[in-house]
Amino acid sequence: MHLAALVVFGHIVLPIVMLGWLASTRAADRLTVAGIVLFVGALLLRVWLSGPGAAWLGPGWSWLYAAVFLASTARQARRARSLPWRPARDTRPMIECGVALGLAAFMTQSLAPIVLAMRTPERTVPLVFPLNDGRYRVLHGGSGEALNQHAAVQAQRYALDIVAVNGWGMRASGLVPEDPHAYAIFGRPVHAPCSGRVLAVHDGEPDQTPPETDPSRPAGNHVVLACPSGTVLLAHLAGGSIGVRIDQAVSAGDRLGRVGNSGNSTEPHLHIHAMEGDVRDPAAWLAAARPLAMTFDGRFLLRGDVVER
């Protein structure tokens, strides 16, 4: 529930408080008003781009915040027409202006790592999206830690964590339901993202009860494919669902198993990452292998991106 509390605070409480500040401020000069507008706008943009809120709470919250922000900004702009540009030479207005501008500068520069994580690497490998018949959202994806928790590990630098979303745009019925079936992606068929040969299979691990994890078996039930473009690992599959065997030839789109919640996974999702060459060392699959960035239908997917199939 710790992560749920962070999501509620970061995506509901904090934006509402900051929007309330913007809407109600009676700053006495245009420079202070501009600082507040810039700070709140950058904060909302950071929450929108780098947080999991859209998958947890649905995208409606972000659009509502954007509407309130634009309306409040327009109102403050009208009010600021009659205000002086600079704060009065007095302690309180000078402090208010300094705080507003300082917060704006801090929040604006904090967007830089997110922008860098959005860059598409020079070398990418085209793959077929491994899920069909639904609407999917990327929980972790990008080329930097600001958008992708896996980026700190070499082999998983460009890994993706993918969830499905329901008709409300939410990944589950509730914030952190304990029943894996409450998650839209649980049990969805997983298909081969490329043609090749099955290099490794591991099955038989139980599906964890969210948010419990099994760090001793990081990938849980998984399939590793040797493809012409490199080695691809698909992890956290459902126990007993894998229908391929080692050395079996597969074509892109062939069914491999189903999405589960096995291994070091806090909730049902599909993990996928690609590595350079024919990687046969299991220890390298999750750590030391050279990473390959993946594209699907020409897209290098980032956190928050939606894929319709």
Side-chain angles (χ1 to χ4, degrees):
M1 294 303 293
H2 178 60
L3 181 57
L6 289 177
V7 170
V8 169
F9 176 77
H11 291 268
I12 297 180
V13 177
L14 185 59
I16 288 176
V17 170
M18 293 300 102
L19 284 169
W21 181 31
L22 172 61
S24 62
T25 184
R26 303 303 297 175
D29 61 274
R30 299 185 189 184
L31 196 57
T32 303
V33 171
I36 295 172
V37 169
L38 185 58
F39 165 66
V40 176
L43 183 144
L44 293 176
L45 186 59
R46 179 179 175 85
V47 168
W48 196 340
L49 294 175
S50 67
W56 281 59
L57 305 169
W61 288 92
S62 298
W63 293 112
L64 177 61
Y65 293 157
V68 173
F69 172 76
L70 291 175
S72 298
T73 298
R75 177 175 176 273
Q76 290 296 343
R78 289 194 299 269
R79 189 180 69 85
R81 292 174 185 173
S82 61
L83 301 178
W85 275 101
R86 299 178 181 179
R89 294 184 178 276
D90 197 5
T91 302
R92 181 172 179 177
M94 292 291 287
I95 290 177
E96 288 179 347
C97 184
V99 169
L101 295 178
L103 288 173
F106 169 77
M107 192 55 62
T108 302
Q109 67 83 29
S110 75
L111 295 174
I114 299 175
V115 174
L116 292 175
M118 290 179 170
R119 295 185 302 179
T120 301
E122 292 184 3
R123 183 185 178 191
T124 61
V125 55
L127 297 177
V128 177
F129 197 71
L131 299 159
N132 289 325
D133 303 323
R135 192 164 188 256
Y136 301 93
R137 186 177 286 273
V138 178
L139 271 188
H140 292 281
S143 55
E145 292 182 61
L147 295 178
N148 192 346
Q149 68 173 5
H150 301 292
V153 181
Q154 178 171 296
Q156 303 181 54
R157 185 173 302 160
Y158 306 116
L160 296 177
D161 284 348
I162 304 167
V163 297
V165 293
N166 58 27
W168 295 95
M170 300 171 63
R171 85 212 193 293
S173 302
L175 287 181
V176 190
E178 294 184 353
D179 182 4
H181 294 86
Y183 295 80
I185 199 170
F186 188 76
R188 296 280 181 97
V190 177
H191 304 275
C194 51
S195 298
R197 181 173 50 83
V198 177
L199 189 61
V201 170
H202 182 82
D203 200 350
E205 303 297 337
D207 290 304
Q208 304 293 319
T209 299
E212 297 176 1
T213 64
D214 183 4
S216 65
R217 297 174 178 82
N221 303 310
H222 59 271
V223 174
V224 181
L225 301 177
C227 304
S229 55
T231 303
V232 180
L233 181 145
L234 301 101
H236 309 311
L237 305 183
S241 74
I242 298 177
V244 293
R245 63 185 185 280
I246 294 176
D247 288 330
Q248 178 179 336
V250 297
S251 297
D254 285 353
R255 181 166 162 174
L256 303 176
R258 291 184 176 273
V259 177
N261 190 42
S262 59
N264 193 24
S265 169
T266 57
E267 65 176 66
H269 71 282
L270 177 65
H271 172 105
I272 179 174
H273 70 262
M275 300 158 278
E276 290 185 15
D278 188 3
V279 184
R280 296 177 176 273
D281 180 6
W285 294 336
L286 297 176
R290 295 188 301 274
L292 272 176
M294 305 168 290
T295 59
F296 301 91
D297 294 325
R299 297 173 64 192
F300 176 64
L301 296 176
L302 306 171
R303 175 184 289 175
D305 280 349
V306 173
V307 177
E308 300 269 5
R309 301 292 291 179

